[in-house]
Amino acid sequence: MLGALALAALSCGQRKSDGPVYLDKTKNIEERVEDALSRMTTEEKVALLHAQSKFSSAGVPRLGIPEVWCTDGPHGIRPEVLWDEWDQAGWTNDSCTAFPALSCLAATWDREMSLRYGRAIGEEARYRKKDVLLGPGVNICRTPLNGRNFEYMGEDPYLAGQMVVPYVKGVQENNVAACVKHFAVNNQEVRRTGTSSNVDDRTLYEIYLPAFKAAVEEGGAWAIMGSYNLYNGQFNCHNKKLLCDILKGEWGYDGVVISDWGGARNDDEAVTNGLDMEYGTWTNGLSGGASDGYNSYHLARPYLQRLADGRADIQTLDDKARRVLRLIFRTNMAAETKYGRFTCPEHYQTARDIAAAGTVLLKNEDGVLPMDVPAGGRILVVGENAVKKMVVGGGSSNLKTRYEITPLEALQEAFAGKAEVIWERGYVGDTGTSYNRVDTGQDLSESRDAATLIADAVAAARGADYILFIGGLNKSNNQDNEGTDRLALELPYGQRDVIEALAPLNPHFAVVNISGSPVSMPWADKVPAIVQGWYGGTESGHALVDVLTGVVNPSGKLPFTLPCNLSDGPLKTERQYPGVRDEGNPYYQEYYDEGVFVGYRWYDSQEIPVQFAFGHGLSYTSFSLDEMKVSGRNYSVKVTNTGDRAGAEVVQFYIAPAPCAVARPAKELKGFEKVYLKPGESRTVTFQAKDADLAYFDAEQHKWVAEKGVYQVLAGTASDDIRTGAELKLNKTVVL
Ligand code: GLC
């Protein structure tokens, strides 16, 4: 009598295999893992655990178990590199779709967009035969200066957690593992491989772990990347507390832990503290290009030696090997074969839709936007970011694409035959055009000096019907760039001078800031319209101009605060950032003294005014929120589109705590829903308040605690735009 499973398999056309169990796709993964493991030698098990090339690790050739291939990055599939190099290999079939940076995805506040994103990038990885996508990143924006904020999902753990889950699910539908990074408390690039992030437990559990926890427990992530830094004095690629106690212990994680490239630093800890796959290591046995370098990895020959002489046990080895085999049977040996797709029209459309949906309208006085230009008129565009291609650079998220639409190209397209579009550079930023031998092919050289550039822009403004400044940051050193942090919050390259020279010249003046992290805008009062644009990828120019011209009604919301000044923020001392050297300690020490008071949690609680608040974003239409209605623990708000065009609003729910034994933020985001409404249409959004939404983490008890008292459930359209609310009485303290 055939078992139900076998019958099911037969019914879906799969023949019962009479081969070994690990090759039998009708068997469940755990059976296949155990069968494969039982057939493997110790050497074969160890070979699974470390790289054999820059981005691959061995399979089991004797058993026909394939290699594992990884690829960057969170925004698209990195071009093929040479066996042991970072530089691209010059293939001609690996120009990918560049999707928007993840700070843009976060700014959509749209879970559906995140699922679309994950599905599309997962298809591209699968098509390129990659098994592990090295992304998404969800490190919290603790300092606006972090060079990699553009790769992450903002300052709030709930938002980041909600937005990472669909992405992970979408990727993994393609038999590709999402590798969520960089675990954990990796919130800067300065001395990233030699700084210990020293964080108390309450801050760790309330701020820096939740997005990873959501990715694992709700997203089902199959891979996690350990980060370069240390946490409380131990390297994170083999940090016992993070990897063994929390990730694999408390969260029951059954996937693999992959080191960041070169993040493994110690033989014994690599074996005992939860690392499963070691990549990119430069051990002392690995001189440049040494042919047997990979055998010198911590989890290679040194591990075999420890197994042989009894310093390492076979149970730990088997646990690591099981996790890698599970990864293989989830990806390139999965029961259902997937093929993916690459650079297809649907992926370009997804990139364009997300980039537009993440665009944030920060300010719009007198209806300066959407652009209204008289027929035959003239538009002056000023700024390097109107022409600079941004997909190249920024570190490991660098991509090679078939094309990238710049804002200027999209404006020229949109106004062809209607208005003249002219461009002035205004300032010189980064004239570089290549990274890892990927080159945009642009010539951004410039001979004029700053004064001349401004004078030329001012001169060109005469007779213009509309002026657009498109500036911001870029992917070069000390900008939005892996390996370096920014040096200031202000826009670089003298952009403020350009903006302030242009502002008085024409009331039809808008500024677009293209960046992946917060910048200050001291000129904001002088500018009637301001847009936060992002690194939008292949279709970035089209997406931005869709918003500027009103083809798309902006609906993005800031995923992080835009402070007035860096000094207004919570990081006041060098020991908080970028860290200090303690006597006798080889590594820098950084102390998260601000605790949970990060981002709006800090500014709200200190009542410090900000330029634009977390969750802020305007629309070309308007919305109203009715008074909150309460039924039990259900808190409902009706939102109505009160304007004359369709649009989307994000109803945000915050919890203000009852008086409590510990200092708590004035409010914390615990729910949101993005609703798309036609003019006059209404929708009721309901937030169901759970005890967990009220709780803080009590480090002493190592438990979440919701103290009895009267809480406030608040609803609004930004953290500084609360429209309505209601009480929530907790009659007794709850320990979760
Ligand atoms: C880099 C990055 C990591 C990337 C890896 C491989 O150093 O920190 O995000 O995935 O190495 O390029």
Side-chain angles (χ1 to χ4, degrees), residues 450-460 462:
T452 307
L453 285 163
I454 293 176
D456 289 352
V458 168
R462 285 190 200 97

Side-chain angles (χ1 to χ4, degrees), residues 72 78 86 148 181-182 192 225 228 260 396 482:
D72 286 313
R78 184 173 186 153
W86 293 111
R148 295 185 84 171
K181 65 189 186 182
H182 302 85
R192 62 177 175 163
M225 183 186 291
Y228 281 128
D260 200 339
S396 56
E482 175 181 343

Side-chain angles (χ1 to χ4, degrees), residues 261 443 590 597 629:
W261 266 237
D443 175 3
E590 187 168 52
F597 295 94
K629 291 186 171 45

